[in-house]
Amino acid sequence: MGQFKKREKFIPYNLPDFTEAEISAVAETVRSLWVAKGPRTVKFEEEFAKHVGAKHAVAMNSCTAALHVSLLSAGIGPGDEVITTPMTFASTANTIIHCGATPVFADIDYKTGCIDPEEVEKKVTSKTKAIVPVHYSGQVCDLDRIYDIADKYGLFVSEDAAHALESFYKGRIIGHKLKGTACYSFYATKNLTTGEGGMLVTDDDEIDAKARIWAGQGMSRNAWNRYAKGGSWRYDICEPGFKYNMFDIQAALGLVQLSRIHEMQARRLKIAEKYQREFAKIDAVEPPFVPDYCTHSWHLYVLRIVPELLTIDRDRFIEELNARNVGTSVHFIPVTSMSAYTKRFGFKKGDFPNTEKHFERIISLPLYPSLSDEETDYIIAAVRDIVEKFHK
Ligand SMILES: Cc1ncc(COP(=O)(O)O)c(C=O)c1O
């Protein structure tokens, strides 16, 4: 084993991938003076729907907004229960509460990190109205099993696809042939970014129409062009809606990013493949398991340490990576361990054993298109160095 040499420069955990094309598109939009929701947002919706093979796409200011609107449009409200995973960002569960409904958590499948369909079925009651499965890290949930449960009990499915742009289930891109909705995030760290942003995708005409109303202050359709020539000043507020729409500066970024998505994904895949290959050779870490039915989008690279073989825990492992100038993150601190949730629902340690075991072991490593081969090799060497130093 060669001697590990610490690099001078810190490798950030994540960086967006922008070219001159994104910069020009934003500049052109600003020059056009149409900076709020307008023609670029409409075009981005059309192009995105085409990309994932869906009938409708509704652009919003975040995935959180899309998740909220998705449930509202499906009629979820007070008294209803919605089943989701503890291994997610808080907004997946927060938005259920925002609807006045109750989130019910089903533990993950330890192998994949995604919600376990068997656990989902155990949590179904007469109040259950929907399931919000999360395609965790870009890994896809076992959708056939989830939709079987949804069909059996008449439940709506809103897929949290924040990580799943360019994920495929059994060869079908997420978003295509949807029975419910899929909600994407375009936050700065995502595979496609508009700075902040999100998209709700559906094949259902009624959900599409309602989502546009809920996300646009509750205004009647197409109110965005009421200031254009021939546009009408008259509008109705049909629901007490939200100000959730995307605007054209974001959409300008999104259109260019979407045109570059295959190029950006190819680079992510190359890095992920190298990680998978090299980490499989190190006994004290566990590379992510990808089931046959899944084509991973590699939004996150979630490495698990094997604490049984180490003298240090995950937190110390992260400190050691940081000391070697490697930025990391953790996805996620389980929602069910957050004080807002323990206070409200009384969750305690041991309630979600697979989620807890997974959480104690995970480290998200840098994975983004501009990460160089040299940086990728360095990160692998840093992990190897830590394992060698702290092996039992
Ligand atoms: C699984 C998941 N769902 C939803 C969201 C919310 O996305 P946004 O920041 O676009 O609202 C995130 C954010 O990272 C996420 O990771």
Side-chain angles (χ1 to χ4, degrees):
M1 216 40 63
Q3 190 69 9
F4 176 78
K5 190 167 174 301
K6 182 177 164 182
R7 77 199 312 267
E8 300 268 297
K9 221 173 141 210
F10 185 72
I11 302 174
Y13 166 65
N14 191 283
L15 287 174
D17 188 50
F18 294 142
T19 63
E20 283 305 313
E22 279 88 346
I23 295 166
S24 305
V26 168
E28 259 171 49
T29 309
V30 173
R31 278 193 205 101
S32 80
L33 302 184
W34 200 312
V35 288
K37 181 177 177 182
R40 284 172 177 84
T41 306
V42 173
K43 178 112 195 310
F44 184 41
E45 289 177 338
E46 288 166 2
E47 296 288 323
F48 194 86
K50 215 187 297 165
H51 184 83
V52 299
K55 194 165 174 196
H56 306 286
V58 188
M60 300 197 202
N61 58 17
S62 67
C63 179
T64 305
L67 288 164
H68 186 196
V69 160
S70 165
L71 293 178
L72 288 173
S73 304
I76 307 299
D80 297 338
E81 291 179 358
V82 178
I83 300 174
T84 192
T85 168
M87 186 41 61
T88 187
F89 185 60
S91 57
T92 316
N94 287 349
T95 49
I96 297 169
I97 297 176
H98 296 163
C99 294
T102 304
V104 173
F105 295 91
D107 205 357
I108 57 166
D109 173 350
Y110 182 70
K111 253 179 145 175
T112 62
C114 287
I115 199 165
D116 182 345
E118 234 171 79
E119 293 298 312
V120 171
E121 188 155 17
K122 283 187 205 159
K123 298 290 171 108
V124 174
T125 71
S126 58
K127 292 181 181 167
T128 310
K129 290 286 155 40
I131 309 171
V132 184
V134 176
H135 299 306
Y136 172 74
S137 77
Q139 176 91 266
V140 292
C141 298
D142 194 347
L143 286 175
D144 283 350
R145 291 176 68 202
I146 287 173
Y147 279 100
D148 280 350
I149 297 165
D151 289 345
K152 187 168 163 189
Y153 299 99
L155 310 177
F156 177 73
V157 178
S158 173
E159 295 175 33
D160 183 332
H163 304 173
L165 178 57
E166 292 297 298
S167 292
F168 292 71
Y169 179 71
K170 295 186 177 172
R172 174 176 61 76
I173 193 166
I174 294 300
H176 183 48
K177 294 211 167 128
L178 275 175
K179 289 195 196 159
T181 55
C183 299
Y184 300 82
S185 173
F186 307 136
Y187 179 66
T189 56
K190 298 299 189 287
N191 292 26
L192 177 162
T193 184
T194 58
E196 301 271 3
M199 191 75 82
L200 180 157
V201 157
T202 186
D203 284 351
D204 185 316
D205 297 344
E206 201 180 320
I207 296 265
D208 170 63
K210 285 186 178 164
R212 287 177 194 283
I213 287 167
W214 278 114
Q217 306 272 31
M219 272 190 207
S220 43
R221 240 186 134 143
N222 282 336
W224 65 264
N225 59 3
R226 66 192 183 280
Y227 302 123
K229 189 162 192 286
S232 170
W233 54 267
R234 209 180 264 286
Y235 57 83
D236 182 32
I237 296 289
C238 355
E239 296 284 0
F242 299 87
K243 177 65 177 168
Y244 277 171
N245 61 276
M246 181 175 276
F247 58 93
D248 269 25
I249 298 176
Q250 291 169 298
L253 274 176
L255 280 163
V256 178
Q257 287 263 290
L258 189 60
S259 74
R260 296 184 50 237
I261 193 73
H262 291 138
E263 158 210 328
M264 293 193 290
Q265 282 302 119
R267 179 68 197 149
R268 275 182 187 273
L269 180 63
K270 196 155 174 252
I271 298 164
E273 280 174 349
K274 187 179 258 184
Y275 278 163
Q276 289 292 79
R277 218 173 31 244
E278 294 305 317
F279 292 136
K281 299 177 192 163
I282 306 175
D283 64 351
V285 295
E286 197 188 337
F289 167 76
V290 184
D292 286 346
Y293 56 71
C294 167
T295 306
H296 204 302
S297 72
W298 297 115
H299 167 54
L300 304 175
Y301 191 87
V302 181
L303 187 70
R304 285 202 293 223
I305 65 158
V306 182
E308 294 81 2
L309 297 179
L310 294 167
T311 57
I312 56 171
D313 63 7
R314 185 272 319 276
D315 292 8
R316 177 72 191 279
F317 206 111
I318 285 178
E319 283 167 25
E320 292 293 331
L321 280 167
N322 194 54
R324 286 163 181 76
N325 276 331
V326 177
T328 57
S329 188
V330 171
H331 297 88
F332 293 94
I333 305 169
V335 181
T336 41
S337 69
M338 298 292 182
S339 61
Y341 284 80
T342 54
K343 270 190 280 172
R344 193 183 272 243
F345 300 105
F347 297 127
K348 55 187 186 323
K349 216 166 165 27
D351 284 349
F352 304 98
N354 287 344
T355 299
E356 289 162 26
K357 185 174 167 193
H358 178 71
F359 167 64
E360 282 163 9
R361 293 161 183 246
I362 49 177
I363 303 171
S364 301
L365 294 179
L367 172 55
Y368 44 94
S370 61
L371 193 73
S372 69
D373 286 341
E374 183 270 313
E375 288 169 324
T376 310
D377 291 340
Y378 177 85
I379 293 163
I380 295 163
V383 169
R384 197 182 291 121
D385 185 51
I386 297 166
V387 167
E388 280 171 10
K389 281 214 163 60
F390 297 100
H391 209 288
K392 269 187 186 161

